[in-house]
Amino acid sequence: MRRRSQTSVDDTPTLTDDPKPKGKGRPTPKRRDAEGKRRQPVSAPKDRKEAYRQMRAKQAAEREKARRGMLAGDERYFPARDKGPARKFARDWVDSRRLPSQYFLPFSLLILLATWIPWPMEIRAQVLNLVIAVGWPIMMIGVLFTSVYVAWKVKREVAQKMPGESLRGVGFYAAMRALQIRRLRFPPPQVLPGGKPVQPKR
């Protein structure tokens, strides 16, 4: 009887030590591929109408950003007429005071409403006479005096505290701001009457 000389062969694969260090299990992406993934795809407009819509949306976003910047007092978003330390000083000087000229518009509206009320004829004549002969002259004199004083005072203060700054238009700028109702001033006031800073809204 022939003796078996053949041995069974084990086909089970054996684990060998991997000479490569254990890593993240995937090849490192090339720099070009990585930068391509980070880039956001730009969708080109399909037609002129779509391009116009995208342009309007972009402009609206920029206007909203500028509006928020102006409300926050960021001079980067201010118009040219409101930029500069001299103009900021003029705004803060006016906003920190209660001036008679800031009541010009409310007083004018009050006088106008008084003339629209259907008074009896004898009372209406007295009201019109009071408005024309007393109300308007007093208001105009007060506004003129306040405007001249504000322009002179602010211009003088800027010249003393900021010798290198241009004084051109600073007095007129302050006088015009003093004529506005405080809530309607733009850029919005950064100081309260008395000089304390305005607390940011939460």
Side-chain angles (χ1 to χ4, degrees), residues 39 89 193:
R39 293 174 183 170
F89 176 85

Side-chain angles (χ1 to χ4, degrees), residues 84-114:
R87 301 301 172 99
K88 184 181 187 308
F89 176 85
R91 289 195 301 272
D92 292 346
W93 191 95
V94 172
D95 296 337
S96 63
R97 290 163 174 78
R98 298 187 185 275
L99 301 167
S101 57
Q102 72 185 73
Y103 303 105
F104 169 72
L105 291 178
F107 189 63
S108 300
L109 181 61
L110 182 63
I111 290 178
L112 189 61
L113 291 176

Side-chain angles (χ1 to χ4, degrees), residues 49-67:
K49 185 176 181 180
E50 179 67 16
Y52 181 68
R53 187 188 66 79
Q54 290 183 6
M55 182 183 68
R56 289 188 59 185
K58 182 179 179 181
Q59 291 176 348
E62 291 176 352
R63 287 195 298 268
E64 178 63 18
K65 183 179 179 181
R67 188 186 70 85

